[in-house]
Amino acid sequence: MVIGTCQSQITSFPHSSDFESGLGDWSNVLGDDFNWSTRSGSSTPSNGTGPQSAPYGANGTNGYAYIESSSPNYPNMEAWLELDVDFKLLNSPELIFNYQMYAANGSNYGPGILQLDVFDGSSWTMDVWSNNTSNIAWQTDTIDLSAFAGIPVTLSWTGYTIWWQCDIALDEITVQDKPNAPLTVDTYPYNQGFDSELTASTACCSDVTLTSPGWSNGTGDDCDWKPRDVNTPSLNTGPTADQSGSGSFLYMEASGCYSKTAYLISPKFDFTQETSPWIEFYYHMYGSAVSRMTLEWSIDQVQWFSAWSLTGDQGNSWKLGFADLQILAGVEAWFRITGTTGVNYISDMGFDGFGGFGGGQPFPISLVSFSGALSSDNSEVLLNWSVASQINNDYFEIQRRTDMSDWETIEVIEGAGNSNTETTYNSIDYQPVNGVSYYRLKQTDYDGKSESFYPIVITIEEKPHVLQRIVNLMGQEVNENYEGFVIEVYQDGTTEKKYYNRIK
């Protein structure tokens, strides 16, 4: 087989294809004899083959993918349909699919062969699954792909034709980790945005099964975290949308569910090769009766220790939370997010965008400290850090972000290469922003590898823009009835030039 070059790699699961409006992420590739097509609301053009009754697609749908085996696409012709997927975070991947293969005139005319092959980057595993049996109805099957867990692969369907009644159809394909399959995270940075979760019932304490790999609602509580992709049902509480602006988030529905507790359990995180693990996440705690959210860690899922906690209304916006996990360097651990609803319905809370950071191999620098402070007039942020040693250290970056922004580099400072001497560095943010900002140190070595360290928080209270005095261009103080050019001087030290035109 020849692999196509225009496919994008799927990294978020479960990944579903319904073929209602084209092939989606699946692609026809070079090297075969003809192409797969899509069709909706009707059978294939040839009589006695293909889906035979409305609504024609699998599971009551309209659209499907198929091969048209009429001349010149027979005999002994092949059509390939492929999808690139990365199973690096999946422990037991599987493919669930629907297929239809029917030949009304018997085996001399069809139905041909449908076969799945898998390419692991160096070699093909052929005939992972195949079928050559005619059946007028849609069939459903599941293929175990756990042999390819942890690596990127290409999934390749082949439709083989033997005669003109080989119109083979595929529909409703899902690639996912097996439900409840154990997952160990050992590649960093890690991120889970819960974007593919389907909106669940809002009924109080209804059971919810999550599909995000390795994540689950815990036991021993009396409620569940629920996925949702729009605002929560109650007024004056809860998020109005996903933190990223699209997809789903997890939340606790407080309506009729007062003073209830829900546990959200993470996959196992392997920090055995990490030196400075930490996590970040987004939380939304808005409502006059909001109670408490806590993030805990455990090495045995029996005894849990608090890493972060907040109580009460935090305002109507997503906030960024951090937890320094230096204590977990060298061990495996799980995380538990515990939410508790308040005494009335105005206490919905949301959770989203969980990120884990480890560090891989030992850092090429030994960081002693990283700190920041405001200048005396609050106009600058002074940043300082100290390293005990450096190995192949090319440069440092000082990066800044606010709650809803990406990290931006505000200064690059050259490293010392190799040194066993403790060295102190400093940087100044001359244009800080009002409100809460996060600063972190990022280090890059000579071969391009980089590591980011646990961030710090700096808060600048916005000064009121209060007018202090008005002067003309001669420097004489005047009042608001003056006519002509003036300079307004404000209490925060800023000035504005204006023209006063007093109409009498």
Side-chain angles (χ1 to χ4, degrees):
M1 292 186 179
V2 177
I3 302 175
T5 58
C6 298
Q7 294 171 257
S8 59
Q9 189 178 74
I10 303 304
T11 58
S12 179
F13 302 94
H15 178 273
S16 298
S17 304
D18 59 16
F19 305 110
E20 293 296 313
S21 57
L23 293 176
D25 294 309
W26 291 86
S27 299
N28 284 298
V29 294
L30 302 176
D32 55 359
D33 301 306
F34 65 106
N35 285 338
W36 286 76
S37 304
T38 58
R39 198 167 179 87
S40 181
S42 62
S43 183
T44 63
S46 304
N47 293 325
T49 186
Q52 297 295 297
S53 59
Y56 297 102
N59 301 331
T61 62
N62 291 309
Y64 58 91
Y66 79 105
I67 59 171
E68 175 54 55
S69 59
S70 296
S71 181
N73 297 333
Y74 74 89
N76 303 320
M77 297 288 188
E78 300 182 16
W80 301 338
L81 185 66
E82 299 188 350
L83 179 72
D84 289 338
V85 294
D86 189 348
F87 291 148
K88 69 178 181 180
L89 294 180
L90 303 192
N91 194 62
S92 300
E94 64 179 5
L95 186 148
I96 304 170
F97 66 105
N98 294 264
Y99 65 100
Q100 201 272 353
M101 302 171 64
Y102 176 59
N105 294 346
S107 59
N108 289 332
Y109 295 87
I113 302 172
L114 177 64
Q115 177 174 314
L116 182 76
D117 308 313
V118 180
F119 182 66
D120 65 6
S122 59
S123 62
W124 284 96
T125 302
M126 308 300 289
D127 201 9
V128 175
W129 178 96
S130 65
N131 182 75
N132 62 357
T133 302
S134 175
N135 194 311
I136 197 170
W138 280 96
Q139 306 293 306
T140 301
D141 207 345
T142 300
I143 303 174
D144 184 1
L145 298 174
S146 57
F148 305 99
I151 62 173
V153 300
T154 298
L155 306 177
S156 179
W157 289 109
T158 299
Y160 295 89
T161 65
I162 59 172
W163 208 244
W164 63 271
Q165 285 191 337
C166 295
D167 291 359
I168 300 170
L170 283 167
D171 199 12
E172 302 297 311
I173 300 176
T174 298
V175 185
Q176 65 177 28
D177 211 11
K178 290 181 182 179
N180 302 316
L183 171 68
T184 298
V185 176
D186 58 7
T187 302
Y188 303 98
Y190 162 88
N191 182 263
Q192 178 55 255
F194 309 105
D195 289 336
S196 298
E197 296 282 353
L198 299 178
T199 296
S201 167
T202 61
C204 177
C205 300
S206 56
D207 291 334
V208 176
T209 299
L210 301 177
T211 58
S212 298
W215 290 83
S216 62
N217 275 296
T219 59
D221 52 5
D222 50 17
C223 203
D224 273 357
W225 287 87
K226 303 172 183 293
R228 195 167 178 84
D229 60 3
V230 294
N231 59 289
T232 61
S234 306
L235 296 175
N236 301 315
T237 188
T240 57
D242 172 84
Q243 171 272 322
S244 66
S246 63
S248 298
F249 59 91
L250 302 183
Y251 83 109
M252 289 192 67
E253 175 55 55
S255 297
C257 242
Y258 311 142
S259 301
K260 300 291 187 180
T261 298
Y263 297 146
L264 175 65
I265 308 298
S266 78
K268 180 169 67 174
F269 282 76
D270 183 354
F271 294 129
T272 55
Q273 301 300 314
E274 314 306 326
T275 55
S276 298
W278 56 279
I279 59 172
E280 67 177 30
F281 52 91
Y282 284 92
Y283 61 93
H284 195 289
M285 301 173 67
Y286 169 56
S288 59
V290 165
S291 181
R292 187 177 185 86
M293 187 188 299
T294 301
L295 188 141
E296 303 167 294
W297 59 267
S298 174
I299 59 174
D300 57 9
Q301 298 193 81
V302 176
Q303 189 172 10
W304 294 90
F305 301 90
S306 179
W308 174 95
S309 184
L310 269 182
T311 301
D313 184 1
Q314 304 297 316
N316 187 16
S317 65
W318 286 100
K319 306 287 186 181
L320 188 62
F322 296 98
D324 186 355
L325 301 172
Q326 182 68 44
I327 193 173
L328 298 181
V331 302
E332 297 178 334
W334 289 263
F335 299 102
R336 182 172 74 179
I337 296 86
T338 302
T340 303
T341 57
V343 295
N344 62 45
Y345 75 92
I346 313 178
S347 57
D348 294 350
M349 62 177 66
F351 184 83
D352 203 7
F354 185 94
F357 302 84
Q361 299 302 315
F363 288 128
I365 66 169
S366 178
L367 184 66
V368 176
S369 64
F370 176 57
S371 61
L374 288 171
S375 61
S376 57
D377 61 357
N378 285 5
S379 64
E380 299 170 348
V381 174
L382 313 176
L383 300 156
N384 298 277
W385 66 99
S386 179
V387 295
S389 62
Q390 305 179 52
I391 301 174
N392 298 321
N393 179 23
D394 191 1
Y395 60 89
F396 297 100
E397 292 175 71
I398 293 295
Q399 297 185 315
R400 182 186 69 194
R401 75 184 289 182
T402 59
D403 276 335
M404 299 299 291
S405 67
D406 295 326
W407 289 105
E408 62 172 329
T409 297
I410 60 175
E411 187 174 7
V412 177
I413 295 178
E414 185 179 358
N418 296 285
S419 173
N420 290 319
T421 302
E422 182 167 332
T423 307
T424 299
Y425 297 87
N426 60 74
S427 175
I428 299 176
D429 184 359
Y430 292 101
Q431 295 180 313
V433 297
N434 290 321
V436 176
S437 294
Y438 304 92
Y439 291 86
R440 75 176 182 185
L441 180 68
K442 182 178 180 180
Q443 181 276 332
T444 300
D445 57 22
Y446 289 130
D447 63 4
K449 295 180 180 179
S450 63
E451 302 292 347
S452 299
F453 294 84
Y454 185 73
I456 60 174
V457 181
I458 299 292
T459 302
I460 301 177
E461 299 293 340
E462 187 171 2
K463 296 180 180 179
H465 203 54
V466 177
L467 182 64
Q468 185 177 51
R469 60 195 179 99
I470 307 169
V471 297
N472 61 22
L473 298 185
M474 301 292 292
Q476 299 166 326
E477 188 165 344
V478 297
N479 60 31
E480 65 275 7
N481 295 318
Y482 183 82
E483 186 168 358
F485 283 103
V486 300
I487 297 175
E488 294 182 342
V489 182
Y490 294 89
Q491 288 182 355
D492 61 4
T494 61
T495 61
E496 288 186 45
K497 185 179 180 180
K498 293 183 177 181
Y499 182 80
Y500 283 5
N501 184 11
R502 305 305 179 192
I503 300 176
K504 298 178 181 174

